[in-house]
Amino acid sequence: MQDEIKKDIENHKVILYMKGHKEMPMCGYSARVVDILKTYDIPFETRNVLDSDTLRNEIKIYSDWPTLPQLYVNKEFIGGCDIITQLHESGDLKDLLT
């Protein structure tokens, strides 16, 4: 699973590991990050950790971060909902995404 996660992150400029899908988030934190990303009108991928307990656990090990959602941009772990919200409000997220 770690190899699959690594490939996903390497093959997508912006990828969000979340509960649900970008069309239908299944938790408030995931919904918040999806809403933020949609304001930038950029393509991004999502992976639903609710589809696989293995994925849900392995992404936390991969990032060494205990919570979800988790955003990766240009192969780099950015953070979860609180960090993404702060970056968005400060304007720094736009710089990361463009």
Side-chain angles (χ1 to χ4, degrees), residues 15-77:
I15 186 165
L16 179 65
Y17 289 85
M18 61 179 283
K19 294 178 181 177
H21 302 279
K22 62 181 157 184
E23 299 83 16
M24 190 173 165
M26 299 299 287
C27 84
Y29 299 114
S30 294
R32 174 76 177 131
V33 175
V34 166
D35 287 344
I36 288 170
L37 291 175
K38 285 182 177 179
T39 67
Y40 294 98
D41 196 32
I42 57 153
F44 66 96
E45 292 293 322
T46 61
R47 294 295 177 263
N48 182 3
V49 300
L50 298 177
D51 286 344
S52 165
D53 287 339
T54 303
L55 176 59
R56 183 191 299 192
N57 293 322
E58 291 294 322
I59 190 62
K60 293 175 185 178
I61 293 167
Y62 185 89
S63 63
D64 195 25
W65 192 259
T67 61
L68 294 157
Q70 295 184 9
L71 180 67
Y72 290 80
V73 177
N74 294 322
K75 303 175 192 164
E76 181 181 340
F77 175 61

